[in-house]
């Protein structure tokens, strides 16, 4: 499926909001995307098309994966990065090729008041070095008409490839892919074995992923826009401030620079922007970890579902639903979850009669099934998330697990009253 096919699917199922009035990419489009909350296609952002909130809810994600909402975890947890990747000669992405690079020809948005500048937020950075490739999304700040500052987080694969090339005094060839099949975008946010992002995307899609080769040798999937270039071995500039998943400003750091040498795009391209700290950003960060937690918990008890909640920035809070088999399963599930996702800070374990998509229901489980001194585990001095504003200087935090499952021996006490379908006989 192409990016456009997916947008068409959103349109035909009446889930797409369309804005035809001209809007500015500086604050206005991001603000409207935040207010709308749904997938929104702007027909005129400073003269160009752009979409935001593309995978901005679990409903959109489920439709992309072709499963019901509560089936996302089952699909992802059983998936291996072993799909087929095919190299092709032609791509609609090559329809228009610009060698006189000017990034202001794209509707790159500025999102928040104190942001360091306009940022590309949905750019999949594909890099290749000595036979190794990587594809992952990095935030990219515009620092010149043909230059981007790339936040390469250590020890991610792009960071490692750049470090290897730089140690040999070499540039790292890269391509920034914007507006690929959403399965490719999702795959590039998933931590798969080195170089397996496109194989994983093909597994997700259940169909081969086609790649074509850029002038600099980097092989990329079909997309709306591809920026071709290289990362300089030495050059660094200030990157930031920028808003991360918690909605707070991340620090300014000295980061590497991508020089763009060529822009390719489809005719009338649709730019993809991810709203920082918006639901699409949170889901792309968090959902790939849910199957890891699910698989780890399945080693200790019968797990039904796992979500990283939106209120917990899809990163710091999990709710785990289990079918409790023996007393103590809740606490074993808590330990397994913390081991599987080291950034996790608070976790609640519930029974399978609790709707884990409904936070009122989760709170009900905490209210009626928890005794604080027995059911809450507090684990201080554990490695936490660098994104947690309340984390300690040394990177440690305190983890809290809440076992909100019923006491098995007292099951009747916890029975939730049901209303029968039938009416009372007269
Ligand atoms: Mn990788």
């Amino acid at each position: 499926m192409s990016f456009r096919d997916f947008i068409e699917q959103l349109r035909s199922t009446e889930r797409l909001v369309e804005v035809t009035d001209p809007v500015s990419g500086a604050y206005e489009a991001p603000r409207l995307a935040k207010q709308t909350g749904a997938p929104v296609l702007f027909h005129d952002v400073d003269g160009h098309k752009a979409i935001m909130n593309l995978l901005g809810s679990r409903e959109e994600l489920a439709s992309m994966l072709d499963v019901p909402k509560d089936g996302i975890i089952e699909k992802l947890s059983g998936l291996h990065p072993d799909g087929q990747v095919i190299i092709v000669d032609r791509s609609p992405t090559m329809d228009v090729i610009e060698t006189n690079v000017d990034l202001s020809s794209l509707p790159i948005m500025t999102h928040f008041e104190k942001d360091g500048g306009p940022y590309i937020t949905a750019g999949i950075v594909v890099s290749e070095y000595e036979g190794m490739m990587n594809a992952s999304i990095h935030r990219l700040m515009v620092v010149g008409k043909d230059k981007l500052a790339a936040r390469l987080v250590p020890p991610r694969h792009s960071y490692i490839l750049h470090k290897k090339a730089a140690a040999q005094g070499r540039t790292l060839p890269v391509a920034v892919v914007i507006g690929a099949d959403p399965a490719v975008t999702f795959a590039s946010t998933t931590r798969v074995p080195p170089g397996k992002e496109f194989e994983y995307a093909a597994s997700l899609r259940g169909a081969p992923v086609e790649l074509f080769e850029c002038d600099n040798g980097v092989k990329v999937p079909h997309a709306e826009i591809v920026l071709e270039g290289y990362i300089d071995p030495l050059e660094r500039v200030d990157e930031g401030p920028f808003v991360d998943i918690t909605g707070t400003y991340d620090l300014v750091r000295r980061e590497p620079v991508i020089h763009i040498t060529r822009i390719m795009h489809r005719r009338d391209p649709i730019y993809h922007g991810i709203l920082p700290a918006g639901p699409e950003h949170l889901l792309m960060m968090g959902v790939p970890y849910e199957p890891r937690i699910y698989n780890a918990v399945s080693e200790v008890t019968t797990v039904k579902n796992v979500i990283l909640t939106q209120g917990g920035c899809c990163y710091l809070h999990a709710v785990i639903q289990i079918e409790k088999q023996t007393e103590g399963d809740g606490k074993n599930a808590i330990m397994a979850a913390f081991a599987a996702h080291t950034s996790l800070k608070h976790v609640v374990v519930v029974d399978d009669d609790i709707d884990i998509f409904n936070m009122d229901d989760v709170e009900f489980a905490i209210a009626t099934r928890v005794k604080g001194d027995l059911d809450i585990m507090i684990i201080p001095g554990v490695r936490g998330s660098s994104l947690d504003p309340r984390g300690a200087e040394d990177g440690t935090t305190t983890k809290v697990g809440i076992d909100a499952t019923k006491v098995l021996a007292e099951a009747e006490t916890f029975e939730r009253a049901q209303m029968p379908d039938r009416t009372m006989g007269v």
Side-chain angles (χ1 to χ4, degrees):
M1 181 183 282
S2 74
F3 192 71
R4 290 187 188 194
D5 292 338
F6 187 68
I7 294 172
E8 200 41 58
Q9 187 179 303
L10 293 173
R11 184 183 277 128
S12 66
T13 51
E14 292 175 3
R15 286 178 296 158
L16 186 69
V17 176
E18 304 201 48
V19 175
T20 48
D21 289 344
V23 296
S24 167
Y27 311 120
E28 190 180 15
R31 195 172 57 234
L32 287 168
K34 187 175 182 182
Q35 286 163 0
T36 309
V40 54
L41 178 65
F42 296 102
H43 287 259
D44 185 354
V45 179
D46 305 320
H48 310 278
K49 281 189 181 152
I51 190 158
M52 297 187 83
N53 302 333
L54 184 75
L55 294 175
S57 73
R58 284 181 195 270
E59 282 73 16
E60 262 67 78
L61 200 56
S63 81
M64 188 273 281
L65 295 169
D66 202 20
V67 293
K69 187 167 100 172
D70 58 2
I72 293 175
I73 195 84
E74 212 183 319
K75 168 135 188 179
L76 294 180
S77 64
L79 219 58
H80 300 286
D82 56 5
Q84 199 188 357
V85 172
I86 302 171
I87 309 292
V88 297
D89 296 331
R90 284 292 310 165
S91 172
T93 313
M94 296 158 120
D95 278 352
V96 182
I97 295 177
E98 294 170 19
T99 49
N100 192 1
V101 174
D102 184 358
L103 290 168
S104 70
S105 68
L106 297 173
I108 303 173
M109 297 169 201
T110 306
H111 306 87
F112 295 95
E113 203 172 9
K114 295 180 188 166
D115 281 2
Y119 264 91
I120 295 177
T121 52
I124 304 167
V125 178
V126 186
S127 53
E128 282 188 36
Y129 195 69
E130 292 181 335
M132 280 300 306
M133 71 73 65
N134 185 62
S136 51
I137 293 186
H138 297 278
R139 66 191 195 218
L140 306 167
M141 186 172 100
V142 178
V143 291
K145 74 177 184 40
D146 57 357
K147 290 206 291 190
L148 298 164
R151 165 68 179 144
L152 301 184
V153 185
R156 299 285 187 78
H157 299 144
S158 315
Y159 170 88
I160 290 170
L161 291 183
H162 164 62
K163 203 174 151 192
K164 270 190 185 166
Q168 298 174 336
R170 300 227 181 96
T171 58
L172 178 69
V174 299
V176 178
V177 177
I178 301 166
D181 175 348
V184 168
T185 308
F186 185 81
S188 69
T189 69
T190 305
R191 296 199 193 181
V192 296
K196 292 290 181 194
E197 288 84 0
F198 298 135
E199 279 82 355
Y200 186 75
S203 297
L204 272 178
R205 179 54 74 216
V209 165
E210 293 187 345
L211 304 180
F212 67 97
E213 195 171 331
C214 297
D215 262 8
N216 66 2
V218 175
K219 289 171 278 304
V220 294
H222 304 301
E224 293 292 319
I225 302 158
V226 171
L227 315 176
E228 211 179 312
Y230 62 89
I231 305 185
D232 189 275
L234 296 173
E235 188 181 5
R236 284 185 180 254
V237 293
D238 281 350
E239 182 277 321
F242 183 77
V243 170
D244 217 314
I245 50 168
T246 51
T248 54
Y249 288 98
D250 195 4
L251 316 169
V252 175
R253 297 180 185 83
R254 299 290 288 174
E255 291 289 339
V257 175
I258 303 180
H259 290 255
I260 305 300
T261 50
R262 214 162 76 119
I263 299 181
M264 290 181 258
H265 61 82
R266 294 188 66 161
R267 282 196 186 84
D268 198 17
I270 306 170
Y271 176 86
H272 180 201
I274 293 177
L275 181 67
E280 184 174 25
H281 183 193
L282 302 187
L283 290 168
M284 292 298 104
M285 284 284 285
V287 173
Y289 283 100
E290 292 169 357
R292 291 167 72 129
I293 300 172
Y294 181 92
N295 287 333
V297 175
S298 75
E299 298 287 328
V300 300
T301 185
T302 306
V303 62
K304 305 299 279 188
N305 208 342
V306 172
I307 59 162
L308 289 163
T309 62
Q310 241 160 271
C313 310
C314 282
Y315 215 59
L316 304 174
H317 283 181
V319 180
I320 298 171
Q321 185 188 48
I322 65 170
E323 192 184 310
K324 194 169 174 179
Q325 305 294 324
T326 49
E327 208 47 65
D329 276 2
K331 292 207 179 64
N332 284 85
I334 289 167
M335 292 190 286
F338 283 139
H341 174 35
T342 53
S343 294
L344 193 59
K345 187 174 171 186
H346 302 142
V347 57
V348 182
V349 184
V350 298
D351 297 298
D352 58 358
D353 63 334
I354 299 295
D355 176 2
I356 68 167
F357 296 107
N358 177 349
M359 289 308 118
D360 281 345
D361 221 31
V362 173
E363 185 182 353
F364 164 82
I366 296 172
T368 61
R369 298 174 187 182
V370 172
K371 199 176 226 182
D373 59 334
L374 299 179
D375 299 320
I376 296 179
M377 282 174 92
I378 299 177
I379 314 162
V382 202
R383 178 151 69 88
S385 169
S386 61
L387 297 170
D388 176 7
R390 193 68 167 91
E393 292 288 303
D394 66 355
T396 66
T397 187
T398 300
K399 311 235 169 181
V400 178
I402 302 174
D403 177 2
T405 58
K406 296 182 260 194
V407 179
L408 282 175
E410 300 164 24
E412 308 88 81
T413 322
F414 298 103
E415 187 190 338
R416 298 179 84 174
Q418 301 294 318
M419 285 183 167
D421 273 342
R422 60 192 154 76
T423 46
M424 193 97 76
V426 282

